[in-house]
């Protein structure tokens, strides 16, 4: 059994899945203002609904980012605390990969760019493709002229290829003629869980000290003055 959570996509989403990806419990509350108050009661409710205890959970799966600083911090802190308290391994899943996986499930796209609005005139960006059709998992692709699979792009940048762009940052980039984009891709904890289970089966999990967030920005936040708003 696997417990997955997400507080990065302006929501509080919790899911419990078995090793086959079957959903035993799933609940999502939209909005981010109450995440710190929502997440632990929602975990308790999900465990109760699935008739499980934390001792039954094989791994804790969480959205490691990139994305909203506060949202990443919340679910990372909860996962680390539960991992230490109950000796459960952790699995961090990329928010950009989750967007790509949702696009595959929603639109059948097998190769996409993921773009998540990072504010400050930039988007978080990555490329993903289904490598193994049987596994049906979007895998990261090295970005051209880079040794990374995730990066920051400025608004109005243009992609090298004209494959589809998905995520709420897709409309902030300059599109090729006839390039498809979908802004309405919204992953939840079920998608995070599916990706995390595949990752856990392939390489295992990590201890709490290695369950680290991914911000991409060296400075994860700026003052209003630094943002030019003061």
């Amino acid at each position: 059994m696997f417990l997955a959570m997400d507080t990065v996509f302006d929501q509080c989403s919790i899911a419990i899945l078995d090793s086959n990806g079957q959903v035993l419990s799933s609940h999502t509350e939209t909005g981010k203002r109450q995440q710190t108050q929502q997440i632990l009661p929602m975990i308790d409710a999900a465990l109760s609904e699935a008739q499980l205890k934390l001792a039954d959970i094989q791994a804790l799966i969480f959205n490691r980012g990139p994305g909203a600083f506060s949202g990443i911090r919340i679910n990372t802190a909860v996962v680390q605390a539960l991992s230490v308290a109950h000796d459960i391994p952790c699995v961090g899943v990329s928010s950009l990969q989750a967007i790509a996986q949702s696009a595959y499930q929603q639109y059948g796209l097998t190769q996409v760019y993921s773009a998540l609005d990072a504010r400050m005139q930039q988007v978080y960006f990555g490329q993903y493709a289904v490598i193994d059709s049987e596994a049906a998992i979007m895998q990261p692709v090295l970005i051209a002229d880079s040794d990374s699979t995730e990066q920051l792009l400025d608004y109005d940048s243009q992609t090298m290829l004209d494959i589809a762009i998905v995520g709420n940052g897709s409309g902030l980039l300059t599109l090729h003629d006839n390039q498809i984009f979908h802004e309405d891709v919204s992953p939840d904890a079920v998608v995070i869980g599916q990706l995390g289970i595949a990752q856990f089966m392939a390489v295992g999990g990590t201890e709490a000290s290695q369950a680290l967030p991914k911000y991409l920005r060296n400075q994860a936040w700026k003052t209003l003055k630094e943002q030019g708003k003061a």
Side-chain angles (χ1 to χ4, degrees):
M1 303 300 172
F2 296 84
L3 172 61
M5 64 191 75
D6 170 58
T7 56
V8 177
F9 291 117
D10 290 349
Q11 64 186 0
C12 189
S13 186
I14 303 296
I16 296 177
L17 306 91
D18 65 19
S19 58
N20 295 316
Q22 182 72 31
V23 179
L24 305 182
S25 179
S26 172
H27 297 280
T28 298
E29 297 288 340
T30 57
K32 58 185 179 181
R33 293 185 180 275
Q34 303 298 320
Q35 290 169 322
T36 52
Q37 288 79 32
Q38 291 171 329
I39 188 166
L40 291 177
M42 286 180 68
I43 289 172
D44 287 341
L47 289 168
S48 178
E49 181 177 355
Q51 299 182 343
L52 296 171
K53 299 178 181 179
L54 279 169
D56 300 315
I57 300 299
Q58 190 171 9
L60 301 164
I61 303 169
F62 70 105
N63 186 341
R64 63 161 175 77
F69 173 76
S70 59
I72 296 173
R73 182 181 60 188
I74 291 167
N75 65 191
T76 301
V78 170
V79 160
Q80 289 175 337
L82 293 177
S83 175
V84 170
H86 299 275
D87 194 26
I88 307 173
C90 309
V91 180
V93 171
S94 165
S95 59
L96 295 174
Q97 186 182 14
I99 291 171
Q101 186 68 20
S102 291
Y104 169 71
Q105 295 176 357
Q106 188 172 344
Y107 294 105
L109 298 169
T110 58
Q111 184 176 203
V112 300
Y113 290 119
S114 285
L116 179 62
D117 189 3
R119 312 301 179 184
M120 304 181 202
Q121 302 297 306
Q122 291 182 311
V123 298
Y124 300 116
F125 180 82
Q127 183 179 347
Y128 298 85
V130 172
I131 308 300
D132 180 351
S133 58
E134 186 174 342
I137 295 292
M138 281 287 206
Q139 300 290 355
V141 177
L142 277 177
I143 297 169
D145 301 321
S146 170
D147 59 356
S148 173
T149 60
E150 298 176 341
Q151 65 181 29
L152 280 163
L153 284 185
D154 292 333
Y155 284 1
D156 299 324
S157 296
Q158 189 173 55
T159 61
M160 293 205 49
L161 304 176
D162 62 357
I163 60 176
I165 312 177
V166 296
N168 70 2
S170 56
L172 302 172
L173 300 173
T174 298
L175 303 178
H176 295 274
D177 292 341
N178 301 318
Q179 187 171 17
I180 297 171
F181 74 100
H182 295 288
E183 296 178 291
D184 61 335
V185 179
S186 302
D188 60 9
V190 171
V191 175
I192 298 293
Q194 292 166 342
L195 291 172
I197 291 169
Q199 183 175 322
F200 183 82
M201 295 303 184
V203 298
T206 65
E207 60 184 23
S209 62
Q210 297 302 311
L212 302 176
K214 183 82 173 279
Y215 295 115
L216 285 189
R217 282 198 176 104
N218 291 329
Q219 186 175 353
W221 60 275
K222 290 185 178 182
T223 64
L224 290 176
K225 182 177 182 180
E226 288 171 327
Q227 295 180 48
K229 297 180 181 179

